[in-house]
Amino acid sequence: MTPTTRYLIFALWVIVLASTPLWAGNYFVRMAITIAMFSALTLSWNLIGGFTGYPSLSTAAFFGLGCYVGALSQRAGVPMILAWVAATVFVAVLAAVFGAIILRLRGHYFAIGSIGLVEVLRLVTSSWGSLTGGGDGLNVPLVQGGPNVVAQTFLAAMVTIMVIVFVVTVLVDRGRLGFGLRCIQQNEDAADMVGVDTTRYKVIAYTLSAMFCGTVGAAYASWTGYIDPTDTFSILMTIKVPVMCLLGGAGTVLGPVVGTGVYMILEEILWANFLDYNRAILGAVTVLLILFLPGGLLRISYKTVLAQLAARFNRLGAAA
Amino acid sequence: MSDKILELDQVSKNFGGNHAVSAVSFALKEGEIVGLIGPNGAGKTTLVNVITGVQRASAGRIHFDGLDVTDQRPFQAARRGLARTFQIVQPFPAMTVLENVAAGALFGGAQASRAEATAAARTHLEFVGLAAFADRPASALTLSGRKRLELAKSLAMKPKLLMLDEVNAGLNTSEIDGALTLIRKIADRGVTILVIEHLMKVVMSLAQRLLVLHHGQLIADGVPREIVDDPRVIEAYLGGKFAKRVKEMQHG
């Protein structure tokens, strides 16, 4: 796939998501918002988990932190968009500090360290009642207007964030940073020996991957109007985002977007049709996909698959 | 003083109570080819690791090109022109051969852009004879190909000093001859080379000077012919039989 094809596919997808209010009901608009939101999270994760090969499980930590920074800023009277920017900056700074500490760990150790951040922040948020409202959660000032206006506002916001993260991904992928990150992913010691400042590169990648989770979190808080610790620092989210990315193809530019789309649509279909077993089925599908498609959907050579199918079909025809 | 590119002053490295390198001092002159030999476990690779900052020296100072580099990190060593190849080759396996070399050019050789780095990488691949494999993944190369790739990668970093850690281990005789020609060609460019080897044939034919390491201590430093006559070296490393054979070869 040439870069131009990739960008065209992405542009088409953006148009499909952004135009849902024109051709579909509120259910689909809501789904488009969620897809755009998760795409932004997955693209973010891809920078550290895909390009750099560090299996971070801290997405929900930065998302939740963004929720609270955004919500508290808005409650203090800061305008909505500025509150989102504040959340982005705050999360970026925290991620840089935290990254400098835990990026010394590798592999599974790093994964466990990064998931620790989610739990610690959830506990701090639950316990620090005077600031965060604790388990009662926080109300966020609602956007004025009818349900359609609100939906369209947040659709525009989430799609914009998704596009920004995509552009960042493309720039990283084509530049010096992306090349260095790929070297680290392939062989960190060798990367160090050819002159890549591995610590700095990893911290930059981790910070980039965290900051937009903060933006998404703040936007989510404004959208739903209410946040609480278990909803925002959710272990399920921290696992789901890497799974979506792996499904599409970690380390590719388009993979996170494809993976998120396929996963969310699959989840929605299963949810609607198998109310009791949808989680189990989704789990089984996920395990099978990762076992048999370790490189993700984008790494399949569709030409080979079609050729094999055609050959099998011909053999069947000849036998009959 | 100024023609010394690398100078070690009483450098030691301990792992707990194990003295892997103890109080080693030597200097390399610019443009020299020096062999570093010693039996297995003598501390050769540890010494290279300490020089390149992979491991920090427990004591002593290291000067490179007039700069105290004792506490440098590996990426800084690479940027300062201190390149090394690994005993166990370390490619970026899923990248192409060309990208591997371009990584060296971009980060270690301070090329301004990826396009320039790629262009530089092509000339280095031609130099080591891997141009035909440029677009193949590095994992598809044979062992001798991977060693050449390591060389090309190091050259792309524009080194002043190149340390070759067992670059000939695992190669057959004709491949070794090819590698020796290549190393001489690199030396002709004015790069100082430290060859870490246990193949006597390689160091004897390449090096102008030999350093012998045994139990982490530098036990000899001199021209190859004197080294093989040195009783301590014979005792520690060569074994009497081999030393005698070398002597016969030289006199007869």
Side-chain angles (χ1 to χ4, degrees):
Chain A
M1 210 188 294
T2 64
T4 324
T5 328
R6 263 181 235 140
Y7 305 154
L8 273 177
I9 293 175
F10 181 73
L12 274 176
W13 185 231
V14 168
I15 292 170
V16 169
L17 290 179
S19 65
T20 39
L22 302 177
W23 51 265
N26 275 338
Y27 167 74
F28 283 100
V29 177
R30 195 187 163 78
M31 187 148 173
I33 299 175
T34 318
I35 289 179
M37 174 175 130
F38 270 96
S39 297
L41 294 176
T42 316
L43 280 163
S44 294
W45 184 85
N46 189 38
L47 292 170
I48 186 80
F51 285 178
T52 324
Y54 270 69
S56 165
L57 292 175
S58 46
T59 299
F62 301 126
F63 173 85
L65 201 67
C67 284
Y68 273 89
V69 174
L72 289 170
S73 308
Q74 276 193 266
R75 283 164 67 96
V78 178
M80 187 171 74
I81 303 282
L82 270 183
W84 298 355
V85 173
T88 312
V89 173
F90 187 90
V91 169
V93 172
L94 184 110
V97 173
F98 189 67
I101 300 166
I102 67 161
L103 284 164
R104 289 159 201 274
L105 303 172
R106 289 188 190 185
H108 305 100
Y109 302 100
F110 172 78
I112 297 296
S114 65
I115 208 170
L117 186 63
V118 181
E119 277 305 279
V120 168
L121 285 177
R122 187 177 63 79
L123 288 171
V124 169
T125 316
S126 313
S127 319
W128 196 350
S130 57
L131 180 72
T132 63
D136 294 339
L138 274 185
N139 287 312
V140 187
L142 290 171
V143 172
Q144 299 302 310
N148 288 340
V149 178
V150 172
Q152 283 169 27
T153 310
F154 285 103
L155 180 63
M158 291 298 186
V159 169
T160 308
I161 300 173
M162 175 178 92
V163 171
I164 292 173
V165 189
F166 184 80
V167 171
V168 169
T169 304
V170 169
L171 291 179
V172 168
D173 181 52
R174 296 172 63 155
R176 196 185 177 91
L177 177 62
F179 195 24
L181 295 180
R182 278 180 207 283
C183 289
I184 295 174
Q185 186 256 330
Q186 292 273 305
N187 185 337
E188 190 167 341
D189 292 325
D192 205 355
M193 296 306 301
V194 298
V196 181
D197 186 348
T198 49
T199 310
R200 202 174 121 236
Y201 272 48
K202 285 187 296 184
V203 171
I204 293 174
Y206 193 63
T207 308
L208 279 177
S209 91
M211 59 190 284
F212 296 110
C213 298
T215 326
V216 170
Y220 172 84
S222 308
W223 178 34
T224 53
Y226 170 77
I227 51 170
D228 71 37
T230 31
D231 184 36
T232 49
F233 296 99
S234 144
I235 293 292
L236 189 63
M237 168 187 276
T238 236
I239 304 285
K240 236 160 95 171
V241 166
V243 167
M244 289 178 188
C245 191
L246 293 173
L247 176 60
T252 62
V253 170
L254 202 54
V257 182
V258 172
T260 309
V262 170
Y263 187 98
M264 302 282 305
I265 291 167
L266 210 63
E267 189 182 39
E268 204 62 27
I269 292 171
L270 291 173
W271 186 260
N273 293 306
F274 304 93
L275 206 51
D276 292 332
Y277 293 105
N278 68 80
R279 287 277 156 208
I281 295 172
L282 198 60
V285 169
T286 307
V287 169
L288 288 176
L289 282 171
I290 287 173
L291 273 180
F292 293 105
L293 281 180
L297 291 169
L298 285 188
R299 296 271 169 87
I300 310 171
S301 165
Y302 290 97
K303 275 185 194 152
T304 321
V305 173
L306 284 178
Q308 277 175 354
L309 280 178
R312 189 165 292 181
F313 196 71
N314 285 341
R315 246 179 292 142
L316 280 177
Chain B
M1 187 68 199
S2 63
D3 63 339
K4 281 178 188 162
I5 184 105
L6 180 77
E7 197 172 6
L8 271 69
D9 182 23
Q10 299 287 315
V11 170
S12 300
K13 176 71 195 171
N14 308 327
F15 297 104
N18 178 12
H19 304 283
V21 174
S22 29
V24 168
S25 302
F26 67 82
L28 299 184
K29 281 191 280 250
E30 221 169 328
E32 250 188 331
I33 305 183
V34 175
L36 175 63
I37 61 170
N40 285 332
K44 303 184 295 286
T45 299
T46 307
L47 190 60
V48 173
N49 282 343
V50 170
I51 295 172
T52 51
V54 173
Q55 283 154 350
R56 199 148 291 180
S58 313
R61 304 312 295 175
I62 303 165
H63 289 268
F64 176 69
D65 209 13
L67 206 69
D68 187 337
V69 296
T70 317
D71 298 319
Q72 71 185 341
R73 305 230 347 252
F75 77 90
Q76 292 169 321
R79 292 177 186 180
R80 284 173 182 153
L82 232 170
R84 59 97 58 102
T85 64
F86 286 87
Q87 185 173 358
I88 296 152
V89 288
Q90 301 270 11
F92 304 118
M95 290 187 185
T96 65
V97 169
L98 186 66
E99 282 172 325
N100 266 271
V101 182
L106 184 64
F107 297 105
Q111 295 285 351
S113 71
R114 273 171 79 164
E116 275 175 44
T118 309
R122 277 195 198 283
T123 62
H124 293 298
L125 278 181
E126 244 154 62
F127 180 76
V128 301
L130 278 179
F133 300 93
D135 297 321
R136 303 270 291 279
S139 55
L141 291 177
T142 61
L143 180 64
S144 117
R146 287 181 204 191
K147 300 237 166 180
R148 278 166 187 268
L149 173 60
E150 284 277 293
L151 270 181
K153 209 159 85 178
S154 312
L155 286 178
M157 288 153 59
K158 297 185 189 154
K160 292 179 193 141
L161 169 61
L162 184 57
M163 286 180 280
L164 304 171
D165 195 356
E166 309 249 339
V167 78
N168 295 295
L171 301 190
N172 66 35
T173 319
S174 72
E175 286 168 342
I176 288 176
D177 285 339
L180 289 185
T181 317
L182 209 53
I183 294 170
R184 285 204 188 89
K185 268 161 77 186
I186 296 168
D188 287 343
R189 294 173 159 194
V191 179
T192 313
I193 297 179
L194 183 68
V195 195
I196 297 101
E197 269 298 344
H198 60 238
L199 287 177
M200 282 311 288
K201 178 192 167 184
V202 174
V203 274
M204 294 300 272
S205 68
L206 262 184
Q208 299 148 357
R209 191 155 65 91
L210 283 186
L211 305 167
V212 187
L213 212 56
H214 184 48
H215 291 320
Q217 283 167 329
L218 194 67
I219 57 167
D221 177 353
V223 292
R225 206 154 14 93
E226 285 169 14
I227 293 291
V228 293
D229 284 339
D230 189 320
R232 279 174 309 169
V233 178
I234 297 168
E235 180 82 23
Y237 177 64
L238 293 169
K241 217 165 125 192
F242 188 85
K244 208 171 132 198
R245 230 170 66 208
V246 172
K247 244 169 119 178
E248 279 166 8
M249 270 162 53
Q250 278 161 353
H251 294 304

